[in-house]
Amino acid sequence: MRSDLMKAGLTRLPHRSLFKAAGLTDEELARPIVGIVNAQNDVIPGHVHLDSLCEAVKAGVLAHGGTPLAFPSIGVCDGIAMGHAGMRYSLVSREHIADSVEIMATAHPFDALVFIPNCDKIIPGMIMAALRLDLPSVFVSGGPMLPSYSGGRKITLSSAFEAVGAAAVGSMSQEDLAEIEDKACPGCGSCAGMFTANSMNCMLEAVGLGLPGNGTVPAVAAGRVRLAKEAGKQVMELLRRDIRPRAIVTPESIRNVLAADMALGCSSNTVLHVLAIAHEAGLKLDLATINQVSRETPHLVRLSPAGDAALADLDRAGGVSAVLRELDKEGLLNRGCITVTGGTIGETADRAKNLDPELIRSKGTAYSPDGGLAILWGNLAPDGAVVKKGAVLPEMMTHSGPARVFDSEEDCTQSLLDRKINPGDVIVIRYEGPKGGPGMKEMLTPTATLAGMGLDKTVALVTDGRFSGASRGASIGHVSPEAASGGLIGLVREGDIIAIDIPRNTLELKVDQAEIDARRAAWKPLVKEIPKGVLSRYRKIVTSASTGAVLLDD
């Protein structure tokens, strides 16, 4: 056993003494040691209940011959960090989480790991750690929040952000605002729509690192506790059979992830994270491959913010497994990929049932014949940009308009609230990329404000930053190269015409080359002042969004 490095033999007598100080018996020390990475904290609503799942995982491990030892992980709540300097730290935390798990599981050589994440960067950070360590591992997330209701309609967190824009144009009363504030997030769990956290929890199932139900069983359901116990049991089976993450995360299973991503209409952030996960696994993945899968895969499910349904509705309809079954019918699933069940993803799909064909559609009734995400290219984004096209209104799939240029998210938001943005405009927010931000802030505040003001029908937004999964509209992010790295987005001027054609995958600045060359000759990058510490180090070693915003190793 790997854990013998810290517990077996004469020279490890002091080590065993330390374990006994923590209450472990000789019998417990003789068993395989399973590390449980628990992201519980009292700040994030998706995490407040994770200790109960940790206890359930422990029970599963103990019942099947292991000794569980839990340790914590940090986490950033993107919703609470949104719209201020705190959002600079969200993407940064992904790498910190991966590093901290590596540190803990190498300093204390566990035999296997169970990961309990639930939100945004925590999930991909833990996946990256699992691949780096390559120990038998199972993920069991905290599960999605239930939706709520206000005025007879279903609401989620995105409703609260959009209420800000509605208030700015006077279309919502103070009473309605207060009701949405009180009801939009009714309890624990990752926010109820197909935002980044739930997108990544569903991707855990598609790649094979999470058990069926991981992405959709509600946080408050007893089934979530049972799933955690099963995860504890299953990690012991994986240890016995020596099935490790790098045997599960393969080029074929990454392809399954992308197909599920497109079918479900997941967050644009999944592109950033899947690129980083593939990089950690030593696999080649580029934006062209993502677009290829998007062209082949129909958009089968439309959840909030693109539609009214929530993750709890998808769970009742059969969950991610039912979506995989629909993909399998069209030959879009690599059936032979092994999963943490010990079986194949094809076997998981075979057991699934689509209980609501209106919610989980077939190819013949799909929302569109291609996927919910698209990669755009053009002179404004020669290395690519990303849009959640499944959440774009039909009238905004092509759009051309004058640029309204801002060098920060905050300046853009203030201009929106001051009613200075006009129908037809193309908002440009730059110097918010991985280096320029630094940290590549999410832009839910301006996108939700646009939607709340009704401007998502006529105004597009282009940025080298990124978007929350709760964003909707013609919101084009991850523009690469970013402004801070000399990208053309840094040369855009007020009033320039920008042309967007999502069906044709293009993003163009309509300025002649001679003028662009003249601007470039006079250009000096804007360098934002930041506190010394993690942001300063991050700025120096982070790569482009087009490669997943991973960190350089040297």
Side-chain angles (χ1 to χ4, degrees):
M1 289 187 292
R2 182 173 182 265
S3 60
D4 284 347
L5 291 169
M6 63 179 173
K7 67 182 187 182
L10 176 62
T11 60
R12 297 300 183 256
L13 184 152
H15 305 59
R16 293 192 295 275
S17 181
L18 287 166
F19 276 123
K20 289 180 177 180
L24 271 66
T25 66
D26 287 329
E27 182 182 1
E28 288 173 311
L29 286 171
R31 298 171 180 167
I33 306 294
V34 177
I36 303 175
V37 192
N38 181 11
Q40 194 280 335
N41 64 59
D42 293 341
V43 179
I44 307 177
H47 291 200
V48 294
H49 64 302
L50 296 188
D51 276 347
S52 63
L53 297 184
C54 186
E55 291 305 311
V57 171
K58 287 180 180 179
V61 171
L62 284 167
H64 293 86
T67 296
L69 297 177
F71 61 93
S73 165
I74 67 159
V76 171
C77 178
D78 282 17
I80 296 173
M82 196 72 66
H84 59 87
M87 181 45 71
R88 288 176 168 174
Y89 293 84
S90 175
L91 185 58
V92 176
S93 73
R94 185 187 72 182
E95 322 308 308
H96 180 90
I97 289 163
D99 290 348
S100 64
V101 175
E102 176 195 354
I103 289 167
M104 282 295 293
T106 306
H108 317 96
F110 302 115
D111 296 299
L113 294 167
V114 177
F115 293 85
I116 310 176
N118 210 33
C119 293
D120 294 280
K121 309 316 146 307
I122 296 95
I123 302 160
M126 288 188 181
I127 297 172
M128 292 162 69
L131 289 164
R132 192 179 302 174
L133 292 160
D134 203 30
L135 300 172
S137 298
V138 177
F139 283 72
V140 56
S141 301
M145 187 184 292
L146 294 175
S148 188
Y149 295 85
S150 176
R153 68 184 182 95
K154 192 176 295 182
I155 60 172
T156 65
L157 176 67
S158 59
S159 308
F161 275 93
E162 291 177 14
V164 175
V169 297
S171 63
M172 185 172 287
S173 69
Q174 289 299 316
E175 292 79 8
D176 289 343
L177 284 169
E179 183 174 17
I180 287 178
E181 179 178 329
D182 288 344
K183 291 185 176 180
C185 298
C188 67
S190 49
C191 299
M194 189 55 87
F195 312 147
T196 305
N198 290 323
S199 295
M200 292 307 301
N201 279 334
C202 290
M203 294 307 97
L204 278 168
E205 287 191 54
V207 80
L209 290 172
L211 293 167
N214 180 77
T216 60
V217 175
V220 295
R224 179 61 55 176
V225 177
R226 294 195 297 271
L227 196 67
K229 290 179 180 177
E230 185 67 20
K233 168 189 173 182
Q234 202 57 34
V235 78
M236 298 303 298
E237 178 65 11
L238 297 180
L239 177 60
R240 184 184 69 80
R241 295 176 56 183
D242 196 29
I243 297 175
R244 299 170 183 253
R246 287 195 174 216
I248 293 173
V249 180
T250 64
E252 293 76 18
S253 68
I254 289 288
R255 194 91 176 188
N256 287 340
V257 165
L258 295 176
D261 195 348
M262 299 307 165
L264 287 163
C266 291
S267 165
S268 58
N269 280 321
T270 57
V271 172
L272 198 69
H273 298 321
V274 174
L275 287 167
I277 289 163
H279 173 81
E280 196 69 58
L283 304 175
K284 180 176 175 55
L285 178 65
D286 56 28
L287 294 177
T289 300
I290 294 172
N291 244 11
Q292 180 187 0
V293 176
S294 181
R295 285 192 296 270
E296 298 170 352
T297 309
H299 183 194
L300 304 180
V301 180
R302 182 173 283 173
L303 304 183
S304 173
D308 294 328
L311 264 292
D313 299 310
L314 178 59
D315 188 62
R316 287 192 291 271
V320 174
S321 296
V323 177
L324 297 176
R325 183 177 177 86
E326 294 297 334
L327 292 172
D328 191 33
K329 291 177 183 178
E330 305 304 325
L332 296 172
L333 188 70
N334 290 303
R335 290 181 52 86
C337 295
I338 196 167
T339 78
V340 292
T341 64
T344 66
I345 198 75
E347 291 167 342
T348 297
D350 289 342
R351 289 190 293 268
K353 294 182 180 179
N354 184 350
L355 303 175
D356 187 348
E358 179 56 33
L359 181 61
I360 303 175
R361 298 190 173 189
S362 64
K363 182 178 180 179
T365 58
Y367 289 101
S368 68
D370 51 7
L373 296 176
I375 309 299
L376 310 185
W377 282 278
N379 67 346
L380 198 53
D383 292 342
V386 182
V387 62
K388 185 174 180 175
K389 76 179 190 66
V392 179
L393 293 169
E395 57 266 39
M396 290 299 291
M397 295 296 281
T398 59
H399 180 77
S400 182
R404 304 297 306 278
V405 183
F406 303 93
D407 289 338
S408 73
E409 176 197 11
E410 291 83 357
D411 289 348
C412 172
T413 300
Q414 190 59 54
S415 186
L416 279 165
L417 294 176
D418 291 342
R419 311 285 295 276
K420 294 180 178 179
I421 300 299
N422 303 310
D425 286 347
V426 178
I427 295 171
V428 175
I429 305 178
R430 61 193 182 189
Y431 293 103
E432 292 288 14
K435 289 183 181 293
M440 204 178 182
K441 288 158 62 179
E442 288 186 344
M443 304 288 167
L444 179 56
T445 299
T447 59
T449 303
L450 276 170
M453 297 173 79
L455 290 173
D456 60 317
K457 301 177 180 65
T458 58
V459 174
L461 194 157
V462 176
T463 181
D464 54 8
R466 59 196 179 91
F467 297 108
S468 163
S471 292
R472 59 186 174 97
S475 303
I476 299 164
H478 306 199
V479 169
S480 301
E482 62 176 291
S485 295
L488 185 59
I489 190 172
L491 304 181
V492 179
R493 291 183 179 173
E494 193 83 4
D496 287 348
I497 299 300
I498 293 175
I500 300 162
D501 192 329
I502 295 173
R504 293 180 180 272
N505 301 97
T506 60
L507 178 63
E508 295 283 341
L509 176 67
K510 295 299 184 179
V511 173
D512 67 66
Q513 192 58 47
E515 173 63 17
I516 289 172
D517 292 343
R519 293 182 189 181
R520 189 171 295 283
W523 174 77
K524 292 183 180 179
L526 171 68
V527 180
K528 295 181 179 179
E529 290 188 12
I530 54 172
K532 290 183 178 180
V534 65
L535 290 180
S536 179
R537 296 191 296 273
Y538 186 83
R539 173 182 276 169
K540 293 174 183 176
I541 59 175
V542 68
T543 64
S544 169
S546 63
T547 56
V550 297
L551 301 185
L552 296 171
D553 288 330
D554 50 31

